[in-house]
Amino acid sequence: LVNGARFYNDHGHLEYATPECRSLRDLVAHDKAGERVVLAAAQKHAEKSGRNVSIYKNNTDFHGASYGTHEGYLMQREVPTDTLIQSLLPFFATRQIYAGAGKVGTENESADKHVPYQISQRADFFMVEASVDTLHNRPLVNTRDEPHATPRKYRRLHVICGDANMSEYATALKVGTTSLVIRLLEAGLRPPIRLTNPIQAVKQVSRDITLKKQLECTARPAMTAIEIQWLYQQEAVKQFKGTNEETDWVLQEWESVLTALETDIPSLEDRLDWVAKYQLLNEFREAEGLKWSDAYMQSLDLAYHDVDPEQSLYYGLEQAGSMRRLVTEGRIQAAMSCPPTDTRAALRGLFVERFPKAVQSIGWNGVSFQHNGEHYLFDMNPLVEENVSVLNVEMTGAETLEAAIALIQQNPKPIE
């Protein structure tokens, strides 16, 4: 798309992927812009077909199917794979305490049917600690290696264990904390703790909304999910406090949320999806005299994730001023057509907007196009450093394909 995002058919289902973003607020704006784009497409389809279409940004159909909300992080390849896996397992098993979207009941054969409500929608579906799979025997740490950058320098951490967040704040905190943990690994952090059974732990955490359950650890006493998150947060404070405004925001909000989770969980209903949804649904349930197992409760759960502002329970809370915002509606609307100015997404967007007839294929790695009978490949794999911003500015002045080709050909390769 012109905003640098990708909206496509991914093996039988539609998928929207945001453009590459350097800042959390850019990412939040583009994530929300994705909702608007998909909703607009659904409404257009409804107009043409005469059929009502509803779009839900969630992770389960309540009939045993689960679909991911994937995150991609560019990181240094020099971090050993085993270190990466062992350091991320405790973090991912417990990150859901602020990143979970909340879920009525449980699913799959091993699920405890007596759990009325849990923190994460994805927790029921993880079977192994690490693997390249995404659809079967889902791993907590996915080891797929598609860097979309210079392979010997970078890997792309492909995260599949997260929930789809409606809350802007939860999205920013989820991605911000994970980015800091990756930076800790790049700085030499080694696994601060090992869980005896990470797959069991992720389910134990999700099904305990009091957050009191102790998780078994190897060679040390059991710890709660909150205590494990504190290990990462405190190390990140030591290493990165004062680095920049965004980093300090993440560190402060991470601390604030963990403190509230220890002392006053309901106070987070304006920031965390699983808390906001629980408060909303539980209030309705008590008023109507329903049980959590009532099928109507799952319908309400689904309605929370409706991306249509006219139908969505989440957007009802937002319109009432009950949810904390991080970006303006104007910024979201702009993100529907404008890519980030400081990533290579701007270059792809420019080709889509100005030279669509010349494009033969386009992807995260670059653009293949033709001009005057000649074939060109604009390789964007190296364009992940700060220097891409300069090229973006220069390319905005390229009104013709000839001018764009000249800039591409004279663009120096980054220093290796």
Side-chain angles (χ1 to χ4, degrees), residues 64-261:
S66 179
Y67 26 90
T69 298
H70 295 184
E71 306 153 50
Y73 301 85
L74 189 72
M75 66 177 296
Q76 300 294 327
R77 182 167 291 281
E78 62 191 24
V79 178
T81 300
D82 186 65
T83 298
L84 177 70
I85 293 171
Q86 295 305 322
S87 299
L88 291 177
L89 283 171
F91 177 71
F92 284 156
T94 56
R95 184 185 71 162
Q96 58 183 299
I97 63 176
Y98 49 81
K103 178 180 178 177
V104 173
T106 59
E107 288 180 90
N108 83 27
E109 294 178 359
S110 63
D112 184 349
K113 303 304 181 183
H114 300 292
V115 175
Y117 184 89
Q118 59 177 317
I119 293 171
S120 168
Q121 295 203 339
R122 288 283 274 170
D124 287 339
F125 299 94
F126 291 97
M127 307 300 292
V128 298
E129 294 181 7
S131 84
V132 298
D133 292 330
T134 58
L135 296 177
H136 308 285
N137 292 321
R138 291 184 180 93
L140 198 53
V141 178
N142 185 256
T143 55
R144 177 187 291 179
D145 193 357
E146 296 174 338
H148 299 320
T150 306
R152 63 187 180 83
K153 292 180 64 177
Y154 298 105
R155 67 154 42 102
R156 177 174 60 99
L157 179 63
H158 183 234
V159 180
I160 70 169
C161 62
D163 286 3
N165 291 110
M166 298 296 291
S167 164
E168 297 175 5
Y169 180 97
T171 294
L173 189 60
K174 173 179 68 179
V175 175
T177 56
T178 306
S179 296
L180 290 184
V181 170
I182 291 170
R183 287 167 59 186
L184 284 173
L185 294 176
E186 292 173 332
L189 175 74
R190 292 302 176 258
I193 184 177
R194 286 180 183 256
L195 293 172
T196 303
N197 189 332
I199 300 305
Q200 182 183 51
V202 73
K203 295 174 174 58
Q204 289 174 328
V205 173
S206 183
R207 297 168 190 177
D208 173 30
I209 63 172
T210 68
L211 303 180
K212 302 296 185 184
K213 191 168 187 62
Q214 299 275 329
L215 306 177
E216 287 189 23
C217 302
T218 301
R220 68 182 298 166
M223 302 178 71
T224 66
I226 298 174
E227 290 171 337
I228 291 172
Q229 281 290 312
W230 275 123
L231 292 178
Y232 290 93
Q233 194 275 342
Q234 290 168 357
E235 186 62 31
V237 168
K238 292 178 188 177
Q239 295 286 337
F240 304 128
K241 186 176 181 180
T243 301
N244 54 51
E245 183 179 347
E246 181 173 277
T247 297
D248 284 347
W249 181 88
V250 175
L251 292 172
Q252 176 57 46
E253 296 306 317
W254 199 355
E255 176 183 351
S256 174
V257 165
L258 292 180
T259 300
L261 288 170

Side-chain angles (χ1 to χ4, degrees), residues 349-360:
L350 181 143
F351 265 85
V352 172
E353 182 178 27
R354 296 185 185 177
F355 317 121
K357 292 182 179 179
V359 174
Q360 292 181 302

